[in-house]
PDB file of all heavy atoms in Angstrom:
ATOM      1  N   GLN R 149      -0.075  36.741  36.335  1.00 98.00           N
ATOM      2  CA  GLN R 149       0.512  36.484  37.669  1.00 98.00           C
ATOM      3  C   GLN R 149       1.324  37.707  38.159  1.00 98.00           C
ATOM      4  O   GLN R 149       1.467  37.959  39.374  1.00 98.00           O
ATOM      5  CB  GLN R 149       1.227  35.248  37.772  1.00 98.00           C
ATOM      6  CG  GLN R 149       1.539  34.800  39.159  1.00 98.00           C
ATOM      7  CD  GLN R 149       2.214  33.503  39.191  1.00 98.00           C
ATOM      8  OE1 GLN R 149       2.216  32.692  38.314  1.00 98.00           O
ATOM      9  NE2 GLN R 149       2.884  33.235  40.344  1.00 98.00           N
ATOM     10  N   PHE R 150       1.876  38.414  37.188  1.00 98.00           N
ATOM     11  CA  PHE R 150       2.747  39.546  37.451  1.00 98.00           C
ATOM     12  C   PHE R 150       1.878  40.553  38.381  1.00 98.00           C
ATOM     13  O   PHE R 150       2.342  41.087  39.371  1.00 98.00           O
ATOM     14  CB  PHE R 150       3.239  40.324  36.224  1.00 98.00           C
ATOM     15  CG  PHE R 150       3.813  41.660  36.464  1.00 98.00           C
ATOM     16  CD1 PHE R 150       5.172  41.732  36.749  1.00 98.00           C
ATOM     17  CD2 PHE R 150       3.082  42.818  36.316  1.00 98.00           C
ATOM     18  CE1 PHE R 150       5.824  42.978  37.026  1.00 98.00           C
ATOM     19  CE2 PHE R 150       3.682  44.030  36.512  1.00 98.00           C
ATOM     20  CZ  PHE R 150       5.088  44.079  36.838  1.00 98.00           C
ATOM     21  N   HIS R 151       0.634  40.824  37.885  1.00 98.00           N
ATOM     22  CA  HIS R 151      -0.190  41.650  38.655  1.00 98.00           C
ATOM     23  C   HIS R 151      -0.704  41.074  39.920  1.00 98.00           C
ATOM     24  O   HIS R 151      -0.806  41.678  40.957  1.00 98.00           O
ATOM     25  CB  HIS R 151      -1.356  42.114  37.709  1.00 98.00           C
ATOM     26  CG  HIS R 151      -1.051  42.945  36.478  1.00 98.00           C
ATOM     27  ND1 HIS R 151      -0.436  44.130  36.607  1.00 98.00           N
ATOM     28  CD2 HIS R 151      -0.996  42.600  35.151  1.00 98.00           C
ATOM     29  CE1 HIS R 151      -0.243  44.613  35.388  1.00 98.00           C
ATOM     30  NE2 HIS R 151      -0.518  43.726  34.506  1.00 98.00           N
ATOM     31  N   PHE R 152      -1.207  39.719  39.779  1.00 97.00           N
ATOM     32  CA  PHE R 152      -1.624  38.968  40.937  1.00 97.00           C
ATOM     33  C   PHE R 152      -0.704  39.043  42.146  1.00 97.00           C
ATOM     34  O   PHE R 152      -1.102  39.262  43.238  1.00 97.00           O
ATOM     35  CB  PHE R 152      -2.001  37.618  40.496  1.00 97.00           C
ATOM     36  CG  PHE R 152      -2.585  36.719  41.468  1.00 97.00           C
ATOM     37  CD1 PHE R 152      -4.009  36.664  41.576  1.00 97.00           C
ATOM     38  CD2 PHE R 152      -1.847  35.950  42.386  1.00 97.00           C
ATOM     39  CE1 PHE R 152      -4.664  35.901  42.561  1.00 97.00           C
ATOM     40  CE2 PHE R 152      -2.469  35.223  43.299  1.00 97.00           C
ATOM     41  CZ  PHE R 152      -3.862  35.147  43.453  1.00 97.00           C
ATOM     42  N   ASN R 153       0.636  38.798  41.795  1.00 97.00           N
ATOM     43  CA  ASN R 153       1.613  38.781  42.762  1.00 97.00           C
ATOM     44  C   ASN R 153       1.778  40.105  43.537  1.00 97.00           C
ATOM     45  O   ASN R 153       2.353  40.177  44.630  1.00 97.00           O
ATOM     46  CB  ASN R 153       2.977  38.356  42.211  1.00 97.00           C
ATOM     47  CG  ASN R 153       3.109  36.828  42.025  1.00 97.00           C
ATOM     48  OD1 ASN R 153       2.192  36.119  42.405  1.00 97.00           O
ATOM     49  ND2 ASN R 153       4.238  36.330  41.484  1.00 97.00           N
ATOM     50  N   GLN R 154       1.282  41.169  42.867  1.00 96.00           N
ATOM     51  CA  GLN R 154       1.422  42.512  43.540  1.00 96.00           C
ATOM     52  C   GLN R 154       0.063  42.913  44.062  1.00 96.00           C
ATOM     53  O   GLN R 154      -0.323  44.117  44.180  1.00 96.00           O
ATOM     54  CB  GLN R 154       1.876  43.558  42.484  1.00 96.00           C
ATOM     55  CG  GLN R 154       3.348  43.094  42.029  1.00 96.00           C
ATOM     56  CD  GLN R 154       3.826  43.944  40.869  1.00 96.00           C
ATOM     57  OE1 GLN R 154       4.259  45.113  41.062  1.00 96.00           O
ATOM     58  NE2 GLN R 154       3.731  43.436  39.734  1.00 96.00           N
ATOM     59  N   SER R 155      -0.733  41.859  44.347  1.00 94.00           N
ATOM     60  CA  SER R 155      -2.098  42.012  44.917  1.00 94.00           C
ATOM     61  C   SER R 155      -3.006  42.957  44.044  1.00 94.00           C
ATOM     62  O   SER R 155      -3.792  43.724  44.649  1.00 94.00           O
ATOM     63  CB  SER R 155      -2.006  42.613  46.339  1.00 94.00           C
ATOM     64  OG  SER R 155      -1.159  41.891  47.111  1.00 94.00           O
ATOM     65  N   GLU R 156      -2.795  42.860  42.734  1.00 94.00           N
ATOM     66  CA  GLU R 156      -3.632  43.596  41.901  1.00 94.00           C
ATOM     67  C   GLU R 156      -4.252  42.691  40.856  1.00 94.00           C
ATOM     68  O   GLU R 156      -3.538  42.056  40.023  1.00 94.00           O
ATOM     69  CB  GLU R 156      -2.772  44.746  41.163  1.00 94.00           C
ATOM     70  CG  GLU R 156      -3.641  45.901  40.688  1.00 94.00           C
ATOM     71  CD  GLU R 156      -2.834  46.814  39.808  1.00 94.00           C
ATOM     72  OE1 GLU R 156      -1.571  46.803  40.097  1.00 94.00           O
ATOM     73  OE2 GLU R 156      -3.368  47.447  39.027  1.00 94.00           O
ATOM     74  N   LYS R 157      -5.519  42.370  40.995  1.00 92.00           N
ATOM     75  CA  LYS R 157      -6.111  41.395  40.047  1.00 92.00           C
ATOM     76  C   LYS R 157      -6.547  42.068  38.814  1.00 92.00           C
ATOM     77  O   LYS R 157      -7.475  42.882  38.737  1.00 92.00           O
ATOM     78  CB  LYS R 157      -7.323  40.735  40.802  1.00 92.00           C
ATOM     79  CG  LYS R 157      -7.245  39.285  40.508  1.00 92.00           C
ATOM     80  CD  LYS R 157      -8.309  38.528  41.334  1.00 92.00           C
ATOM     81  CE  LYS R 157      -8.381  37.017  40.805  1.00 92.00           C
ATOM     82  NZ  LYS R 157      -9.294  36.242  41.631  1.00 92.00           N
ATOM     83  N   ARG R 158      -5.901  41.758  37.730  1.00 97.00           N
ATOM     84  CA  ARG R 158      -6.268  42.306  36.488  1.00 97.00           C
ATOM     85  C   ARG R 158      -6.604  41.143  35.602  1.00 97.00           C
ATOM     86  O   ARG R 158      -5.857  40.115  35.461  1.00 97.00           O
ATOM     87  CB  ARG R 158      -5.050  43.065  35.801  1.00 97.00           C
ATOM     88  CG  ARG R 158      -4.695  44.325  36.671  1.00 97.00           C
ATOM     89  CD  ARG R 158      -3.759  45.159  35.697  1.00 97.00           C
ATOM     90  NE  ARG R 158      -3.184  46.347  36.346  1.00 97.00           N
ATOM     91  CZ  ARG R 158      -2.698  47.379  35.618  1.00 97.00           C
ATOM     92  NH1 ARG R 158      -2.705  47.310  34.366  1.00 97.00           N
ATOM     93  NH2 ARG R 158      -2.196  48.436  36.367  1.00 97.00           N
ATOM     94  N   ASN R 159      -7.753  41.159  34.864  1.00 96.00           N
ATOM     95  CA  ASN R 159      -8.216  39.942  34.079  1.00 96.00           C
ATOM     96  C   ASN R 159      -8.468  40.150  32.726  1.00 96.00           C
ATOM     97  O   ASN R 159      -9.033  39.249  32.060  1.00 96.00           O
ATOM     98  CB  ASN R 159      -9.433  39.394  34.866  1.00 96.00           C
ATOM     99  CG  ASN R 159     -10.541  40.427  34.898  1.00 96.00           C
ATOM    100  OD1 ASN R 159     -10.325  41.533  34.455  1.00 96.00           O
ATOM    101  ND2 ASN R 159     -11.702  40.076  35.549  1.00 96.00           N
ATOM    102  N   THR R 160      -8.298  41.346  32.188  1.00 98.00           N
ATOM    103  CA  THR R 160      -8.548  41.595  30.757  1.00 98.00           C
ATOM    104  C   THR R 160      -7.311  41.606  29.922  1.00 98.00           C
ATOM    105  O   THR R 160      -6.301  42.197  30.359  1.00 98.00           O
ATOM    106  CB  THR R 160      -9.356  42.905  30.496  1.00 98.00           C
ATOM    107  OG1 THR R 160     -10.541  42.780  31.263  1.00 98.00           O
ATOM    108  CG2 THR R 160      -9.562  43.183  29.102  1.00 98.00           C
ATOM    109  N   ILE R 161      -7.301  41.004  28.731  1.00 98.00           N
ATOM    110  CA  ILE R 161      -6.202  41.040  27.779  1.00 98.00           C
ATOM    111  C   ILE R 161      -6.638  41.785  26.559  1.00 98.00           C
ATOM    112  O   ILE R 161      -7.789  41.660  26.146  1.00 98.00           O
ATOM    113  CB  ILE R 161      -5.865  39.622  27.339  1.00 98.00           C
ATOM    114  CG1 ILE R 161      -5.555  38.712  28.475  1.00 98.00           C
ATOM    115  CG2 ILE R 161      -4.552  39.614  26.310  1.00 98.00           C
ATOM    116  CD1 ILE R 161      -4.324  38.837  29.190  1.00 98.00           C
ATOM    117  N   ILE R 162      -5.757  42.637  26.058  1.00 98.00           N
ATOM    118  CA  ILE R 162      -6.104  43.342  24.800  1.00 98.00           C
ATOM    119  C   ILE R 162      -5.333  42.668  23.643  1.00 98.00           C
ATOM    120  O   ILE R 162      -4.253  42.259  23.813  1.00 98.00           O
ATOM    121  CB  ILE R 162      -5.755  44.860  24.812  1.00 98.00           C
ATOM    122  CG1 ILE R 162      -6.521  45.515  25.970  1.00 98.00           C
ATOM    123  CG2 ILE R 162      -6.030  45.563  23.542  1.00 98.00           C
ATOM    124  CD1 ILE R 162      -6.230  47.096  26.166  1.00 98.00           C
ATOM    125  N   ALA R 163      -5.984  42.575  22.519  1.00 98.00           N
ATOM    126  CA  ALA R 163      -5.406  41.928  21.370  1.00 98.00           C
ATOM    127  C   ALA R 163      -5.961  42.631  20.111  1.00 98.00           C
ATOM    128  O   ALA R 163      -6.963  43.248  20.161  1.00 98.00           O
ATOM    129  CB  ALA R 163      -5.733  40.431  21.345  1.00 98.00           C
ATOM    130  N   PHE R 164      -5.173  42.419  19.003  1.00 98.00           N
ATOM    131  CA  PHE R 164      -5.692  42.892  17.735  1.00 98.00           C
ATOM    132  C   PHE R 164      -6.812  42.054  17.155  1.00 98.00           C
ATOM    133  O   PHE R 164      -6.765  40.804  17.368  1.00 98.00           O
ATOM    134  CB  PHE R 164      -4.581  42.964  16.696  1.00 98.00           C
ATOM    135  CG  PHE R 164      -3.602  44.089  16.823  1.00 98.00           C
ATOM    136  CD1 PHE R 164      -2.258  43.912  16.810  1.00 98.00           C
ATOM    137  CD2 PHE R 164      -4.086  45.419  16.970  1.00 98.00           C
ATOM    138  CE1 PHE R 164      -1.382  45.023  16.954  1.00 98.00           C
ATOM    139  CE2 PHE R 164      -3.255  46.518  17.034  1.00 98.00           C
ATOM    140  CZ  PHE R 164      -1.898  46.309  17.113  1.00 98.00           C
ATOM    141  N   GLU R 165      -7.759  42.660  16.481  1.00 96.00           N
ATOM    142  CA  GLU R 165      -8.690  41.917  15.698  1.00 96.00           C
ATOM    143  C   GLU R 165      -7.880  41.141  14.691  1.00 96.00           C
ATOM    144  O   GLU R 165      -6.931  41.718  14.176  1.00 96.00           O
ATOM    145  CB  GLU R 165      -9.618  42.915  14.904  1.00 96.00           C
ATOM    146  CG  GLU R 165     -10.620  43.658  15.821  1.00 96.00           C
ATOM    147  CD  GLU R 165     -11.279  44.829  15.108  1.00 96.00           C
ATOM    148  OE1 GLU R 165     -11.015  45.016  13.947  1.00 96.00           O
ATOM    149  OE2 GLU R 165     -11.956  45.571  15.741  1.00 96.00           O
ATOM    150  N   ASP R 166      -8.300  39.967  14.306  1.00 94.00           N
ATOM    151  CA  ASP R 166      -7.642  39.177  13.253  1.00 94.00           C
ATOM    152  C   ASP R 166      -6.175  38.807  13.597  1.00 94.00           C
ATOM    153  O   ASP R 166      -5.480  38.472  12.685  1.00 94.00           O
ATOM    154  CB  ASP R 166      -7.668  39.933  11.918  1.00 94.00           C
ATOM    155  CG  ASP R 166      -9.060  40.204  11.446  1.00 94.00           C
ATOM    156  OD1 ASP R 166      -9.984  39.406  11.787  1.00 94.00           O
ATOM    157  OD2 ASP R 166      -9.324  41.200  10.733  1.00 94.00           O
ATOM    158  N   GLY R 167      -5.832  38.869  14.846  1.00 96.00           N
ATOM    159  CA  GLY R 167      -4.513  38.351  15.188  1.00 96.00           C
ATOM    160  C   GLY R 167      -4.454  36.870  15.360  1.00 96.00           C
ATOM    161  O   GLY R 167      -5.631  36.256  15.389  1.00 96.00           O
ATOM    162  N   PHE R 168      -3.381  36.161  15.308  1.00 96.00           N
ATOM    163  CA  PHE R 168      -3.358  34.697  15.603  1.00 96.00           C
ATOM    164  C   PHE R 168      -2.206  34.477  16.549  1.00 96.00           C
ATOM    165  O   PHE R 168      -1.090  34.898  16.402  1.00 96.00           O
ATOM    166  CB  PHE R 168      -3.117  33.944  14.286  1.00 96.00           C
ATOM    167  CG  PHE R 168      -3.044  32.454  14.675  1.00 96.00           C
ATOM    168  CD1 PHE R 168      -4.150  31.719  14.915  1.00 96.00           C
ATOM    169  CD2 PHE R 168      -1.811  31.809  14.643  1.00 96.00           C
ATOM    170  CE1 PHE R 168      -4.089  30.402  15.197  1.00 96.00           C
ATOM    171  CE2 PHE R 168      -1.695  30.450  14.914  1.00 96.00           C
ATOM    172  CZ  PHE R 168      -2.814  29.698  15.287  1.00 96.00           C
ATOM    173  N   HIS R 169      -2.496  33.742  17.656  1.00 97.00           N
ATOM    174  CA  HIS R 169      -1.530  33.479  18.728  1.00 97.00           C
ATOM    175  C   HIS R 169      -1.464  32.029  19.039  1.00 97.00           C
ATOM    176  O   HIS R 169      -0.696  31.627  19.876  1.00 97.00           O
ATOM    177  CB  HIS R 169      -1.788  34.332  19.865  1.00 97.00           C
ATOM    178  CG  HIS R 169      -1.720  35.881  19.609  1.00 97.00           C
ATOM    179  ND1 HIS R 169      -0.592  36.459  19.299  1.00 97.00           N
ATOM    180  CD2 HIS R 169      -2.796  36.753  19.550  1.00 97.00           C
ATOM    181  CE1 HIS R 169      -0.929  37.765  18.968  1.00 97.00           C
ATOM    182  NE2 HIS R 169      -2.226  37.875  19.171  1.00 97.00           N
ATOM    183  N   GLY R 170      -2.274  31.221  18.399  1.00 96.00           N
ATOM    184  CA  GLY R 170      -2.076  29.729  18.693  1.00 96.00           C
ATOM    185  C   GLY R 170      -3.395  29.076  19.035  1.00 96.00           C
ATOM    186  O   GLY R 170      -4.493  29.760  19.107  1.00 96.00           O
ATOM    187  N   ASP R 171      -3.358  27.829  19.305  1.00 94.00           N
ATOM    188  CA  ASP R 171      -4.561  27.012  19.483  1.00 94.00           C
ATOM    189  C   ASP R 171      -4.822  26.457  20.897  1.00 94.00           C
ATOM    190  O   ASP R 171      -5.736  25.678  21.092  1.00 94.00           O
ATOM    191  CB  ASP R 171      -4.553  25.910  18.464  1.00 94.00           C
ATOM    192  CG  ASP R 171      -4.998  26.433  17.032  1.00 94.00           C
ATOM    193  OD1 ASP R 171      -5.633  27.526  16.989  1.00 94.00           O
ATOM    194  OD2 ASP R 171      -4.601  25.827  16.048  1.00 94.00           O
ATOM    195  N   THR R 172      -3.932  26.767  21.887  1.00 95.00           N
ATOM    196  CA  THR R 172      -4.284  26.363  23.268  1.00 95.00           C
ATOM    197  C   THR R 172      -5.228  27.464  23.759  1.00 95.00           C
ATOM    198  O   THR R 172      -5.428  28.486  23.097  1.00 95.00           O
ATOM    199  CB  THR R 172      -2.989  26.330  24.127  1.00 95.00           C
ATOM    200  OG1 THR R 172      -2.370  27.611  24.021  1.00 95.00           O
ATOM    201  CG2 THR R 172      -2.138  25.251  23.655  1.00 95.00           C
ATOM    202  N   PHE R 173      -5.897  27.179  24.928  1.00 95.00           N
ATOM    203  CA  PHE R 173      -7.064  28.040  25.379  1.00 95.00           C
ATOM    204  C   PHE R 173      -6.704  29.571  25.466  1.00 95.00           C
ATOM    205  O   PHE R 173      -7.509  30.434  24.854  1.00 95.00           O
ATOM    206  CB  PHE R 173      -7.717  27.521  26.538  1.00 95.00           C
ATOM    207  CG  PHE R 173      -8.814  26.630  26.260  1.00 95.00           C
ATOM    208  CD1 PHE R 173      -8.623  25.241  26.052  1.00 95.00           C
ATOM    209  CD2 PHE R 173     -10.098  27.090  26.047  1.00 95.00           C
ATOM    210  CE1 PHE R 173      -9.641  24.457  25.670  1.00 95.00           C
ATOM    211  CE2 PHE R 173     -11.163  26.257  25.619  1.00 95.00           C
ATOM    212  CZ  PHE R 173     -10.926  24.929  25.465  1.00 95.00           C
ATOM    213  N   GLY R 174      -5.602  29.865  26.173  1.00 96.00           N
ATOM    214  CA  GLY R 174      -5.257  31.258  26.348  1.00 96.00           C
ATOM    215  C   GLY R 174      -4.966  31.871  24.983  1.00 96.00           C
ATOM    216  O   GLY R 174      -5.467  32.946  24.622  1.00 96.00           O
ATOM    217  N   ALA R 175      -4.097  31.291  24.333  1.00 96.00           N
ATOM    218  CA  ALA R 175      -3.666  31.753  23.000  1.00 96.00           C
ATOM    219  C   ALA R 175      -4.852  31.827  22.011  1.00 96.00           C
ATOM    220  O   ALA R 175      -4.959  32.763  21.250  1.00 96.00           O
ATOM    221  CB  ALA R 175      -2.565  30.866  22.359  1.00 96.00           C
ATOM    222  N   MET R 176      -5.654  30.828  22.058  1.00 95.00           N
ATOM    223  CA  MET R 176      -6.914  30.871  21.190  1.00 95.00           C
ATOM    224  C   MET R 176      -7.816  31.903  21.583  1.00 95.00           C
ATOM    225  O   MET R 176      -8.422  32.661  20.674  1.00 95.00           O
ATOM    226  CB  MET R 176      -7.566  29.488  21.309  1.00 95.00           C
ATOM    227  CG  MET R 176      -8.796  29.206  20.463  1.00 95.00           C
ATOM    228  SD  MET R 176      -9.400  27.544  20.506  1.00 95.00           S
ATOM    229  CE  MET R 176      -9.567  27.173  22.286  1.00 95.00           C
ATOM    230  N   SER R 177      -7.986  32.202  22.829  1.00 95.00           N
ATOM    231  CA  SER R 177      -8.876  33.297  23.328  1.00 95.00           C
ATOM    232  C   SER R 177      -8.304  34.627  22.760  1.00 95.00           C
ATOM    233  O   SER R 177      -9.181  35.547  22.281  1.00 95.00           O
ATOM    234  CB  SER R 177      -8.802  33.456  24.828  1.00 95.00           C
ATOM    235  OG  SER R 177      -9.138  32.316  25.467  1.00 95.00           O
ATOM    236  N   ALA R 178      -7.004  34.835  22.674  1.00 96.00           N
ATOM    237  CA  ALA R 178      -6.391  36.114  22.168  1.00 96.00           C
ATOM    238  C   ALA R 178      -6.477  36.198  20.650  1.00 96.00           C
ATOM    239  O   ALA R 178      -6.327  37.271  20.116  1.00 96.00           O
ATOM    240  CB  ALA R 178      -5.021  36.192  22.638  1.00 96.00           C
ATOM    241  N   SER R 179      -6.676  35.040  20.039  1.00 95.00           N
ATOM    242  CA  SER R 179      -6.712  35.060  18.510  1.00 95.00           C
ATOM    243  C   SER R 179      -8.065  35.456  17.986  1.00 95.00           C
ATOM    244  O   SER R 179      -9.124  34.772  18.253  1.00 95.00           O
ATOM    245  CB  SER R 179      -6.335  33.600  17.928  1.00 95.00           C
ATOM    246  OG  SER R 179      -5.154  33.214  18.456  1.00 95.00           O
ATOM    247  N   GLY R 180      -8.138  36.548  17.311  1.00 89.00           N
ATOM    248  CA  GLY R 180      -9.470  37.113  16.862  1.00 89.00           C
ATOM    249  C   GLY R 180      -9.813  36.339  15.524  1.00 89.00           C
ATOM    250  O   GLY R 180     -10.929  36.318  15.062  1.00 89.00           O
ATOM    251  N   LEU R 181      -8.835  35.840  14.897  1.00 73.00           N
ATOM    252  CA  LEU R 181      -8.976  35.270  13.545  1.00 73.00           C
ATOM    253  C   LEU R 181      -9.803  34.034  13.417  1.00 73.00           C
ATOM    254  O   LEU R 181     -10.528  33.854  12.513  1.00 73.00           O
ATOM    255  CB  LEU R 181      -7.611  35.060  12.947  1.00 73.00           C
ATOM    256  CG  LEU R 181      -7.573  34.805  11.520  1.00 73.00           C
ATOM    257  CD1 LEU R 181      -7.823  36.101  10.692  1.00 73.00           C
ATOM    258  CD2 LEU R 181      -6.219  34.255  11.097  1.00 73.00           C
ATOM    259  N   SER R 182      -9.685  33.140  14.451  1.00 68.00           N
ATOM    260  CA  SER R 182     -10.122  31.808  14.322  1.00 68.00           C
ATOM    261  C   SER R 182     -11.670  31.765  14.292  1.00 68.00           C
ATOM    262  O   SER R 182     -12.360  31.991  15.285  1.00 68.00           O
ATOM    263  CB  SER R 182      -9.644  30.961  15.507  1.00 68.00           C
ATOM    264  OG  SER R 182      -8.281  31.180  15.634  1.00 68.00           O
ATOM    265  N   VAL R 183     -12.225  31.621  13.153  1.00 69.00           N
ATOM    266  CA  VAL R 183     -13.689  31.679  12.872  1.00 69.00           C
ATOM    267  C   VAL R 183     -14.230  30.257  13.284  1.00 69.00           C
ATOM    268  O   VAL R 183     -15.482  30.108  13.320  1.00 69.00           O
ATOM    269  CB  VAL R 183     -14.047  31.990  11.423  1.00 69.00           C
ATOM    270  CG1 VAL R 183     -13.847  33.461  11.234  1.00 69.00           C
ATOM    271  CG2 VAL R 183     -13.284  31.153  10.396  1.00 69.00           C
TER     272      VAL R 183
END
Side-chain angles (χ1 to χ4, degrees):
Q149 193 177 341
F150 172 84
H151 296 293
F152 185 91
N153 278 359
Q154 298 171 81
S155 306
E156 206 186 329
K157 221 169 170 178
R158 297 194 184 198
N159 57 1
T160 299
I161 308 284
I162 299 177
F164 280 133
E165 289 166 3
D166 299 331
F168 178 75
H169 302 290
D171 284 335
T172 53
F173 268 88
M176 184 170 52
S177 307
S179 302
L181 191 71
S182 314
V183 286

